Amino acid sequence: MYKNYIFDLYGTLIDIHTDEYSKNFFKKYAKWLRRQGYTFAWKDFCSKYTKTERAYREQAKIAGKYSKPEIRIENVFHDVLAGKGYYPSQEKIVYLCENFRKISLINMCLFPDTLACLEGLKKAGKNIYLLSNAQRSFTWQELEKTGLVQYFDGILISSDEDCMKPDPNFFQICIERYQLDKQECLMIGNELQSDIAGAAAAGIDSFYINRFPVFHKPANPSYRYIAPNGSLMEVLKQTEVNTRVNTEVNTEVNTGVNTKVKQ
């Protein structure tokens, strides 16, 4: 039926919680920055970072190229650092961004059935793609840590493409880059607007993974399939993927990538 399964990342495959806009986080990050040789009062860095990020996002909207534009967070860091007379290399800026994410992380783990679902699809000969609203310098390290990279036939991160879901252009980039037939594609995600409405606008069927404790059916749902209990194994079942999955083995593998950060 479907040959190509396109997944959202956060909230669908990875359960993650961050604290990147709190006072406590900016205090910790400013302290870490000082150890790297970049001196900022935490309030100063917080103010400059949030204002610069907001300005970049407003500029991207005004440009009007996409209905839902994305920015590159490295540009924000460059401008904030340059404002204090610091001009690190691009490689160093990426390092600062990576640690911004690491320090903001509260906890991160795969959902219990993430690997079982992906391995089931692979065993059945399906193609798997990732379409994520994210920053590469934040996300790639998490894809590697969780061991997810190996499962994907293609990975698209919004900061690389200058647009994000639900903009249908982001979906179209995936379709064109990997020469896919939309009729053979299924988008799987936990966000009704970004994942489900975006897929519908792009002419792609979708599978909604409900991550809320209680499921409330929307008035005019645009998804074709739904897992009201949040189970990714429903993707295999409802799309009739013919495979046997050893869930016990996959659960053991999954426990090895649980990351928790003490506050």
Side-chain angles (χ1 to χ4, degrees):
M1 188 177 183
Y2 296 107
K3 293 182 179 179
N4 310 301
Y5 289 70
I6 306 171
F7 282 86
D8 168 57
L9 183 59
Y10 299 113
T12 300
L13 300 176
I14 292 179
D15 187 12
I16 190 169
H17 300 278
T18 63
D19 190 29
E20 60 192 61
Y21 289 102
S22 73
K23 178 174 72 173
N24 183 52
F25 160 69
F26 278 107
K27 285 183 175 181
K28 289 192 292 184
Y29 188 66
K31 183 177 180 179
W32 180 85
L33 276 179
R34 286 194 293 273
R35 294 201 299 268
Q36 311 308 308
Y38 307 101
T39 302
F40 284 89
W42 76 265
K43 288 184 179 179
D44 184 40
F45 183 86
C46 176
S47 175
K48 286 182 168 59
Y49 174 83
T50 53
K51 287 180 181 178
T52 304
E53 181 188 12
R54 190 180 307 119
Y56 266 102
R57 294 197 182 280
E58 287 300 321
Q59 290 168 12
K61 287 181 182 178
I62 292 170
K65 185 177 180 180
Y66 296 109
S67 62
K68 193 68 174 178
E70 177 65 289
I71 66 169
R72 302 186 184 196
I73 206 67
E74 294 87 355
N75 293 334
V76 174
F77 275 79
H78 172 274
D79 288 5
V80 171
L81 292 165
K84 287 276 285 187
Y86 300 121
Y87 298 93
S89 66
Q90 186 62 26
E91 181 180 1
K92 185 68 173 181
I93 289 176
V94 170
Y95 174 72
L96 298 177
C97 292
E98 290 173 343
N99 282 276
F100 181 93
R101 176 66 159 206
K102 288 178 181 177
I103 294 170
S104 76
L105 192 62
I106 297 173
N107 61 65
M108 178 187 72
C109 64
L110 297 179
F111 285 102
D113 50 6
T114 291
L115 295 184
C117 177
L118 297 178
E119 289 180 5
L121 291 171
K122 278 298 182 185
K123 186 175 181 179
K126 306 299 183 180
N127 299 315
I128 306 175
Y129 301 92
L130 181 68
L131 200 66
S132 178
N133 286 356
Q135 293 294 321
R136 173 169 285 273
S137 57
F138 292 175
T139 295
W140 193 261
Q141 59 188 334
E142 294 165 358
L143 287 172
E144 290 184 328
K145 187 174 185 63
T146 55
L148 289 180
V149 175
Q150 63 181 317
Y151 292 99
F152 297 114
D153 295 281
I155 295 174
L156 278 80
I157 297 174
S158 60
S159 65
D160 294 340
E161 311 300 339
D162 300 329
C163 61
M164 66 173 75
K165 298 172 293 184
D167 193 323
N169 286 288
F170 194 23
F171 295 84
Q172 190 62 32
I173 291 170
C174 180
I175 296 299
E176 293 180 0
R177 182 165 301 166
Y178 300 106
Q179 300 179 337
L180 308 180
D181 182 343
K182 289 184 180 181
Q183 301 304 312
E184 298 175 342
C185 295
L186 181 68
M187 176 71 204
I188 302 101
N190 72 305
E191 292 286 346
L192 285 170
Q193 183 60 30
S194 295
D195 303 320
I196 307 307
I204 298 172
D205 286 350
S206 64
F207 198 122
Y208 175 54
I209 307 296
N210 174 55
R211 293 296 186 192
F212 295 102
V214 178
F215 171 62
H216 298 286
K217 186 177 180 179
N220 297 297
S222 57
Y223 49 78
R224 182 167 182 179
Y225 306 94
I226 178 173
N229 62 353
S231 173
L232 285 169
M233 300 309 289
E234 286 295 315
V235 174
L236 304 183
K237 181 179 178 181
Q238 294 186 40
T239 63
E240 300 178 347
V241 173
N242 185 20
T243 184
R244 292 181 181 179
V245 182
N246 187 336
T247 55
E248 292 183 2
V249 172
N250 288 318
T251 300
E252 290 176 3
V253 173
N254 184 48
T255 57
V257 296
N258 190 328
T259 299
K260 294 185 178 179
V261 180
K262 294 181 179 179
Q263 296 299 307

